[in-house]
Amino acid sequence: SLEADTAVCRVSIAGRTIQVDTLLVRSNVGVVAGGGSLAILDTTGESVSAFSATAILRSLKPLEHLFDLPSTEVDSMKLTCTAAGTAQNTLIAANVAVRSAVFGSYSVSSLDAGATGSFHSGFFTWADLETTREAAAWTAGVTVQDAQVEDLEVTSWEATLTSDGNRHEIRSSATIA
């Protein structure tokens, strides 16, 4: 069964900024903690985002029956997210690190993935919810060590994606047993 022993979240909107004063959730699955401000509603550029959150997964066992998942084992999994800057130029970063995980017939001894990006002025207008011609810049990457997907064994795999406006680049390399 899924059990939460602590669940606290204080959110307020001050002008065009979302304030997350406290975010804390503890359960037998894991912990999520974070806080800060998100200026995603501000089109004036006067407010600033300064937000971070971290999630640590302890176990998926409590969710197996609830969501009809295959047998799972996780040694450790950590996800971090940050946002900083104005609505016209917000830098966003997300990272995940997994050590020794099994999900049914899939297994991995190490997985590290991350993405960073920035929204440029005018990329997304919250007032009318339209994307405009000025694009965002993103870089994403993933590194996997000793993974198994059914009968396929992957010793190592790295991939990166870079996108800046209308230019995109994908690079990948793998060692497969």
Side-chain angles (χ1 to χ4, degrees), residues 64-142:
E64 286 179 5
H65 180 70
L66 188 64
F67 293 108
D68 195 28
L69 298 175
S71 179
T72 61
E73 294 290 332
V74 176
D75 183 40
S76 71
M77 179 175 165
K78 182 177 182 179
L79 172 67
T80 58
C81 299
T82 59
T86 65
Q88 281 73 24
N89 190 19
T90 302
L91 302 175
I92 297 172
N95 294 289
V96 64
V98 177
R99 300 294 171 260
S100 186
V102 176
F103 187 78
S105 61
Y106 303 97
S107 67
V108 65
S109 67
S110 172
L111 182 144
D112 293 290
T116 58
S118 63
F119 289 111
H120 300 299
S121 175
F123 171 69
F124 197 82
T125 306
W126 289 96
D128 56 10
L129 297 178
E130 288 181 5
T131 55
T132 62
R133 61 195 153 135
E134 195 170 343
W138 288 96
T139 300
V142 64

Side-chain angles (χ1 to χ4, degrees), residues 157-175:
W157 176 59
E158 291 185 39
T160 59
L161 164 66
T162 305
S163 178
D164 187 9
N166 293 323
R167 294 185 334 221
H168 311 290
E169 179 179 303
I170 299 173
R171 293 179 185 221
S172 180
S173 65
T175 305

Side-chain angles (χ1 to χ4, degrees), residues 9-12 18-23 34-38 50-52:
C9 186
R10 290 188 185 106
V11 178
S12 63
I18 299 170
Q19 289 290 130
V20 181
D21 179 41
T22 304
L23 170 62
S37 61
L38 292 166
F51 179 83
S52 67

